[in-house]
Amino acid sequence: MAVKKKSKAKKKNSQLVIRINEDERDDFVALCDEMDTSAAREVRRFIRNFLAEHQSIEET
């Protein structure tokens, strides 16, 4: 049986610093924990979806 290798994701080599209300941050992190995910993962997912949505609009 062949062993599948995971394709390497692009290296995460940059940071984005944002300022957010402390209560909103705490609520967001707590909800991410409840959903067994991380805040960073969800922010990255949002950014990818946002870019994909707006790139497709620009191409039309």
Side-chain angles (χ1 to χ4, degrees):
M1 182 162 50
V3 176
K4 282 187 175 180
K5 289 185 178 181
K6 276 190 171 180
S7 62
K8 291 186 179 180
K10 291 182 181 178
K11 186 175 180 181
K12 298 174 187 89
N13 60 2
S14 185
Q15 292 183 353
L16 174 66
V17 178
I18 61 169
R19 298 190 62 78
I20 185 171
N21 175 282
E22 183 178 9
D23 292 335
E24 288 177 339
R25 181 227 178 253
D26 292 345
D27 291 345
F28 180 66
V29 170
L31 182 57
C32 288
D33 286 343
E34 287 177 25
M35 297 176 69
D36 196 30
T37 187
S38 70
R41 181 180 297 139
E42 295 307 316
V43 171
R44 286 191 300 268
R45 185 173 64 87
F46 168 79
I47 291 171
R48 288 184 195 115
N49 290 340
F50 186 86
L51 289 172
E53 179 182 328
H54 291 283
Q55 287 171 348
S56 65
I57 291 171
E58 289 177 2
E59 292 173 359
T60 58

